[in-house]
Amino acid sequence: MSYTEDIWQNELICGCFNNPINCLIGCFCPAIALSLAKSRFDGSDFCFNCVCFSCSPLLVRNYIRQGYGISGRVGCGDCLTSAFCPHCVSTQLLNEIDTRGPKIVSVQNEQDGPFLAPERDYSCSGDMIDCCCVTMNLQLESAGLYSLLLAVPMWVAYGANVCQVKHMTRKLYGIGGNDCMDDCVKPTLCACNCCYIYKVLQKVRAEVHYRGNPPIFQKIQMVNTGHGPSVIQPQYIAVSNLPQTTNPSNFEIVREQKKV
């Protein structure tokens, strides 16, 4: 489904009452509403989102806003509204997804959506000094990768953890896997294993370097036809539906034009 406007279809305050059920969930259980919104948006596991994203309204709102191509600012928009109106934010996200529909189709089978970066690029035996530095600055490394993936400032991504970084990498690039087991259970149980955590982060770094910017962040191609003003109509494509051979760094979505 495509929209001609890059604004919220449901207002933050008044739009809460567009769906009474969503309003009740957002009012009394904002963490549940936030997890449910992310699950509907990208098809991720609800239990995983309850554990890893239910207390991160800023990250989820920014993720969904950029996914739909909605204009706005991280500081004045996402940060302030998430800090002072978390109930309204959760309700707004639920209503917005009900209006626009899901954006990303999750890939469960890793064979259908594998990691493409060569394993030699993220082997923990390649650079022991780098391994030591990353493990000693784990939070900074996670924030840097999350900032690179979601195109957000470092101060926004500083609260991101390894589970969130790996999960967002899989979703944005259409990589298959189990949300709970691959993105939460294994990194948590192996948190004391420095080599495993380093390999996870290096795997994400190598994948970003290999693929380029995720295709969810679109490049706008403006065409001057010489026949007066026109309205740009964005076309949204599920990340998992893109061919695996597509190079996202060179990928452009040509937007249809409709004369006024």
Side-chain angles (χ1 to χ4, degrees), residues 12 56-59 61 74-89 155:
L12 182 64
S56 305
L58 170 59
L59 299 182
R61 188 179 195 271
V74 176
C76 298
D78 298 332
C79 184
L80 291 181
T81 55
S82 300
F84 296 103
C85 304
H87 300 77
C88 296
V89 166
W155 64 266

Side-chain angles (χ1 to χ4, degrees), residues 77-134:
D78 298 332
C79 184
L80 291 181
T81 55
S82 300
F84 296 103
C85 304
H87 300 77
C88 296
V89 166
S90 301
T91 305
Q92 182 189 36
L93 294 179
L94 281 175
N95 291 334
E96 196 71 19
I97 295 168
D98 288 345
T99 301
R100 296 176 180 261
K103 176 65 185 289
I104 299 176
V105 179
S106 294
V107 181
Q108 300 299 327
N109 190 349
E110 191 169 349
Q111 294 180 351
D112 296 335
F115 283 89
L116 300 182
E119 186 174 358
R120 64 176 184 273
D121 292 344
Y122 55 86
S123 174
C124 60
S125 61
D127 192 341
M128 295 306 299
I129 296 179
D130 183 48
C131 180
C132 294
C133 292
V134 168

Side-chain angles (χ1 to χ4, degrees), residues 23 45 50 57 94 100 103 120-121 125 145 181 203 251:
C23 183
D45 187 82
C50 287
L94 281 175
R100 296 176 180 261
K103 176 65 185 289
R120 64 176 184 273
D121 292 344
S125 61
L145 289 174
M181 183 59 64
K203 195 172 186 177
F251 185 81

Side-chain angles (χ1 to χ4, degrees), residues 219-221 223 233-235 251-257:
K219 297 179 180 179
I220 302 177
Q221 182 175 356
V223 179
Q233 180 176 353
Q235 296 177 327
F251 185 81
E252 290 187 352
I253 296 179
V254 180
R255 299 185 170 190
E256 295 180 354
Q257 290 190 341

Side-chain angles (χ1 to χ4, degrees), residues 48-75:
F48 168 82
N49 290 325
C50 287
V51 174
C52 296
F53 283 95
S54 60
C55 298
S56 305
L58 170 59
L59 299 182
V60 176
R61 188 179 195 271
N62 179 266
Y63 171 51
I64 294 177
R65 179 178 63 78
Q66 292 197 76
Y68 284 135
I70 300 173
S71 61
R73 289 180 173 271
V74 176

Side-chain angles (χ1 to χ4, degrees), residues 117-185:
E119 186 174 358
R120 64 176 184 273
D121 292 344
Y122 55 86
S123 174
C124 60
S125 61
D127 192 341
M128 295 306 299
I129 296 179
D130 183 48
C131 180
C132 294
C133 292
V134 168
T135 52
M136 287 189 297
N137 299 276
L138 188 60
Q139 189 59 53
L140 187 62
E141 181 74 12
S142 301
L145 289 174
Y146 194 95
S147 174
L148 185 63
L149 278 169
L150 275 297
V152 296
M154 279 285 292
W155 64 266
V156 174
Y158 195 74
N161 54 47
V162 177
C163 299
Q164 293 173 329
V165 170
K166 185 180 179 183
H167 175 76
M168 298 304 293
T169 303
R170 290 200 309 104
K171 293 302 175 184
L172 291 174
Y173 290 126
I175 299 172
N178 184 278
D179 295 334
C180 292
M181 183 59 64
D182 296 335
D183 300 340
C184 183
V185 176

